[in-house]
Amino acid sequence: MRQLCMPQGLSPDELPKLEALICSARPVRRGEALYRSGDAFDNLYAVRSGSLKTTMAHRDGREQVTGLRLAGEALGLDGISDDKHACSATALEDSTVCIVPYVALKRLCREVGSMQERLHKLMGEQIVREAAQMMVLGSLSADERVAAFLLDVSERNAQRGYSSAEFNLRMTREDMGSYLGTTLETVSRTLSRFQKRGLIDTQGKFIRIVDLEGLRAV
Amino acid sequence: MRQLCMPQGLSPDELPKLEALICSARPVRRGEALYRSGDAFDNLYAVRSGSLKTTMAHRDGREQVTGLRLAGEALGLDGISDDKHACSATALEDSTVCIVPYVALKRLCREVGSMQERLHKLMGEQIVREAAQMMVLGSLSADERVAAFLLDVSERNAQRGYSSAEFNLRMTREDMGSYLGTTLETVSRTLSRFQKRGLIDTQGKFIRIVDLEGLRAV
DNA sequence: CGGCAAGTTGATGTTTGTCAAGTGGGGTGG
DNA sequence: CCACCCCACTTGACAAACATCAACTTGCCG
């Protein structure tokens, strides 16, 4: 039940309607693109297992990671505005996603108020999350950015019933740097320093938060 | 007609329905807050005249400008996810906004497909715009950020039928710096340098773009 | 188990932030 | 309507944070 796509906040009688909508699941292998910038937009997705990153490219070719999606989170909203995707979505590990056809979802939202509510909140959440990330990029120091990122992932893990204290971050240091508007070296150094200060415990992609309050205070 | 709130892309027979929805307009004076972070979310807004900035505050008090809204643009979507606003909206000059009650709009969206489509696109556009701004903040140099900002405002002016070549930017240098993740001094220096290079012509808040291609090439 | 991508760490350079001083313009009150 | 005052803006000198370049190590994937 926890694993269900686009979950949370639907009353029991509406679940079947949503389930009928989800035609299929799709596996996406590590490094593979679920969709690319410019692709036609037909579906929203929910991460069923694994994790993906979203990236956006500047015209000169520079790419930036604009988001990280963990299991249970929604994906693909960047396609709604223009009928084609503005971002690319790439699997960070072998993953599976549920496919939610957008036209059908729209129809359902017109029939069922709580579905409409749910979709609106989903979009609203992404708007707020991105605004918060703009804050991170615009106002925080490198240390603060890394700390904020770890706390964000930790909290999202907790929300989905996983451990908030330790997790595998499948992004590379370069991905993290890109997402945080800094370089892979700075991320690496910062994590090392956090470890020396006893805030975290890192072993490559595995991260354990040792001193939560300390991290918050960075 | 151009001035109508939440315009563009509605068929003639739907306009009256939307107009019935817009209960009222509201003046907001320069420096006054239309809403503040934490305020209950009841309405969306459309800027009828003037301009506003949206800001978000970190817990330690640091504030960052997260958006600029010009006449014709929508405002308030940051409240949908949590039933209270995540950002504050402050008028940059004496302005007026149209008030669109959200509950009523939701109902209308369930009745009229094109209204639903319009609202979705509005939210989708903001998602994409914010992602693009994350790119700006994360990947571009100070010069590139300022250039990108000027081009963005120019383009938005053009879209709404105003001059893309010259405009009054009612933000202060500090607001611009905050929005661009830099300082007011850097913004000021950059604008001066652009002027010396013959890219723009600035006189305080008035800006004229002299060499569009040059700006794009920064 | 071998090879290569990812990660770590150090030395150095550049961009941008910070502090400071001075100028200018617009709004308010006389 | 004018003048004053304050806030915004400009510009310079200096400092710090972070990027860049480089060499080396680790560990993961095939």
Side-chain angles (χ1 to χ4, degrees):
Chain A
M1 209 54 157
R2 263 229 105 74
Q3 299 285 9
L4 197 77
C5 304
M6 314 268 293
Q8 294 127 23
L10 289 180
S11 59
D13 56 316
E14 287 146 12
L15 268 178
K17 293 186 181 175
L18 180 56
E19 280 173 334
L21 220 162
I22 298 167
C23 303
S24 53
R26 175 179 157 182
V28 195
R29 275 190 302 194
R30 177 191 153 86
E32 191 189 335
L34 173 60
Y35 57 80
R36 285 179 211 277
S37 169
D39 281 1
F41 166 69
D42 297 310
N43 307 301
L44 294 177
Y45 305 92
V47 183
R48 175 179 289 213
S49 69
S51 55
L52 299 89
K53 65 176 174 182
T54 56
T55 57
M56 200 172 211
H58 202 235
R59 48 183 160 71
D60 63 9
R62 275 177 289 189
E63 271 218 343
Q64 163 132 357
V65 175
T66 54
L68 165 67
R69 295 305 140 92
L70 306 175
E73 298 179 332
L75 194 58
L77 297 171
D78 58 272
I80 291 181
S81 69
D82 200 27
D83 299 319
K84 56 181 197 258
H85 285 286
C87 301
S88 303
T90 311
L92 294 169
E93 59 195 301
D94 293 352
S95 308
T96 49
V97 298
C98 302
I99 300 177
V100 184
Y102 177 59
V103 232
L105 180 63
K106 259 199 307 195
R107 199 182 329 112
L108 183 58
C109 284
R110 290 181 55 192
E111 289 161 8
V112 183
S114 56
M115 272 306 302
Q116 182 193 37
E117 186 69 20
R118 176 93 194 100
L119 179 59
H120 284 191
K121 298 233 168 189
L122 219 55
M123 294 198 271
E125 276 160 23
Q126 178 150 354
I127 286 170
V128 172
R129 208 174 315 119
E130 287 183 354
Q133 186 63 12
M134 286 175 50
M135 267 243 23
V136 168
L137 292 168
S139 303
L140 305 193
S141 70
D143 279 16
E144 292 171 323
R145 292 181 204 192
V146 173
F149 177 62
L150 295 179
L151 290 169
D152 180 45
V153 173
S154 163
E155 195 171 315
R156 282 154 68 186
N157 270 334
Q159 271 174 11
R160 296 169 306 112
Y162 298 120
S163 168
S164 67
E166 44 184 68
F167 41 84
N168 255 41
L169 251 191
R170 310 303 291 258
M171 302 171 99
T172 65
R173 299 289 187 260
E174 184 167 20
D175 285 336
M176 280 192 244
S178 172
Y179 182 58
L180 297 176
T182 180
T183 60
L184 66 100
E185 291 95 332
T186 297
V187 170
S188 180
R189 276 187 247 273
T190 303
L191 290 175
S192 299
R193 225 171 320 113
F194 282 0
Q195 175 142 8
K196 274 186 198 119
R197 285 164 59 181
L199 299 175
I200 62 173
D201 205 1
T202 64
Q203 186 92 335
K205 302 205 188 302
F206 178 81
I207 292 180
R208 172 203 302 258
I209 295 182
V210 176
D211 180 0
L212 192 69
E213 282 316 309
L215 253 196
R216 289 215 179 94
V218 166
Chain B
M1 209 56 155
R2 262 228 105 73
Q3 299 285 7
L4 198 78
C5 304
M6 314 269 291
Q8 295 127 23
L10 289 182
S11 60
D13 56 316
E14 287 145 12
L15 269 177
K17 293 184 180 174
L18 179 56
E19 280 172 332
L21 221 164
I22 298 167
C23 302
S24 53
R26 174 180 156 181
V28 194
R29 275 190 303 195
R30 178 191 151 85
E32 191 189 335
L34 173 60
Y35 57 80
R36 286 179 211 277
S37 168
D39 282 1
F41 165 69
D42 297 311
N43 307 301
L44 294 177
Y45 305 92
V47 182
R48 174 178 290 212
S49 68
S51 56
L52 299 89
K53 65 176 174 182
T54 57
T55 58
M56 200 173 212
H58 202 236
R59 49 185 160 70
D60 64 8
R62 274 177 289 188
E63 271 218 344
Q64 162 132 358
V65 175
T66 54
L68 166 66
R69 296 306 142 92
L70 306 175
E73 297 179 334
L75 194 58
L77 298 172
D78 58 272
I80 290 181
S81 69
D82 199 26
D83 300 318
K84 55 180 198 257
H85 285 285
C87 301
S88 303
T90 311
L92 294 168
E93 59 194 302
D94 293 353
S95 307
T96 49
V97 297
C98 303
I99 300 177
V100 184
Y102 177 59
V103 231
L105 179 64
K106 260 199 307 195
R107 199 181 328 113
L108 182 58
C109 284
R110 290 183 55 193
E111 290 161 7
V112 182
S114 56
M115 272 306 302
Q116 183 194 36
E117 185 69 20
R118 176 95 195 99
L119 179 59
H120 284 190
K121 297 234 169 189
L122 219 55
M123 293 198 272
E125 278 161 21
Q126 177 150 354
I127 287 170
V128 172
R129 208 175 313 120
E130 287 182 355
Q133 186 63 11
M134 285 174 51
M135 267 243 25
V136 168
L137 292 169
S139 304
L140 306 192
S141 71
D143 279 16
E144 292 170 324
R145 292 182 204 192
V146 173
F149 177 62
L150 295 178
L151 290 169
D152 180 45
V153 173
S154 163
E155 195 172 314
R156 282 155 69 186
N157 270 335
Q159 271 173 11
R160 297 169 306 113
Y162 299 120
S163 169
S164 66
E166 44 184 70
F167 41 83
N168 255 40
L169 251 191
R170 310 304 291 258
M171 302 171 99
T172 65
R173 298 289 187 261
E174 185 168 20
D175 285 335
M176 279 191 244
S178 172
Y179 182 58
L180 297 175
T182 179
T183 60
L184 66 102
E185 291 94 333
T186 297
V187 171
S188 180
R189 276 186 248 273
T190 303
L191 290 174
S192 298
R193 224 171 320 114
F194 282 0
Q195 175 142 9
K196 273 186 198 119
R197 285 164 59 181
L199 299 175
I200 62 172
D201 205 2
T202 64
Q203 185 93 337
K205 301 204 186 305
F206 178 80
I207 293 180
R208 172 204 302 256
I209 295 182
V210 176
D211 180 0
L212 192 70
E213 282 316 309
L215 254 195
R216 289 215 179 94
V218 166

